[in-house]
Amino acid sequence: MNRHNYITPAGFAALRAEYERLFAVERPQVVEIVSWAAGNGDRSENGDYLYGRKRMREIDGQLRRLSKKMKDAKIIDPAQQPDKSRVYFGATVTIADEDDNHRTVTLVGDDEADAAAGRIGWNAPLARALRGAAIGDLRKVLLPSGEKEYEVLGIGYPA
């Protein structure tokens, strides 16, 4: 299945910044510690050396994952959305459930989702249900707690 890894320009910038921080700052610091610790003799009981090697493997794994995410990313600027009357990638949507509880969410790339900040991943069940909706539309979502219906009250895009 060829799923696009949609991401906003800000989300892509955050991925790149994390990659740069790991590559240019943290990894060289760990390499220095490992080199210093390696010069201290017996490596089998050298905590700095063992921890440093382990941390370097973790950093290298993170760098590979970030590199793949950036390579697979399809940057979409929500401000360029031509049809702002419907919910598409990058939309900020205000919805209400059956009990008239209002909630505002922004549909972002899965790599930049943060539910506590109101950013939900493009492939999350609620985001999938809202795709293409217009103000006044009712959308059903199957959540772990059961089916819930939402009404779309507002749709916004960045300027």
Side-chain angles (χ1 to χ4, degrees):
M1 186 168 133
N2 185 9
R3 255 187 13 196
H4 287 291
N5 183 24
Y6 294 131
I7 193 164
T8 63
F12 189 81
L15 282 181
R16 184 185 304 273
E18 176 65 3
Y19 183 93
E20 293 297 326
R21 183 189 68 76
L22 286 169
F23 186 77
V25 178
E26 192 167 345
R27 191 174 192 287
Q29 289 172 347
V30 173
V31 166
E32 193 175 310
I33 290 168
V34 168
S35 296
W36 168 81
N40 288 339
D42 185 7
R43 295 175 184 179
S44 66
E45 294 181 14
N46 186 328
D48 286 329
Y49 178 80
L50 296 174
Y51 171 77
R53 295 288 303 166
K54 178 179 182 282
R55 182 65 189 129
M56 196 155 13
R57 284 190 302 276
E58 291 169 356
I59 290 170
D60 288 345
Q62 284 177 282
L63 287 170
R64 277 191 302 279
R65 283 188 295 281
L66 287 168
S67 178
K68 181 170 178 9
K69 284 180 181 184
M70 288 189 297
K71 183 176 161 278
D72 295 343
K74 180 165 175 47
I75 302 170
I76 296 180
D77 185 353
Q80 304 300 315
Q81 175 54 249
D83 180 1
K84 293 183 170 46
S85 68
R86 294 195 171 273
V87 177
Y88 297 110
F89 184 83
T92 298
V93 188
T94 302
I95 54 177
D97 65 14
E98 298 100 332
D99 302 321
D100 204 33
N101 295 316
H102 292 217
R103 181 177 171 196
T104 300
V105 295
T106 301
L107 280 58
V108 295
D110 294 330
D111 292 328
E112 52 189 323
D114 179 355
R119 294 190 309 266
I120 61 171
W122 179 243
N123 290 302
L126 179 57
R128 284 196 312 268
L130 291 172
R131 291 180 192 175
I135 293 175
D137 285 358
L138 297 176
R139 294 296 172 99
K140 288 185 190 299
V141 184
L142 187 58
L143 300 171
S145 59
E147 192 173 75
K148 206 162 190 174
E149 188 172 63
Y150 292 96
E151 179 181 357
V152 177
L153 301 177
I155 301 169
Y157 288 90

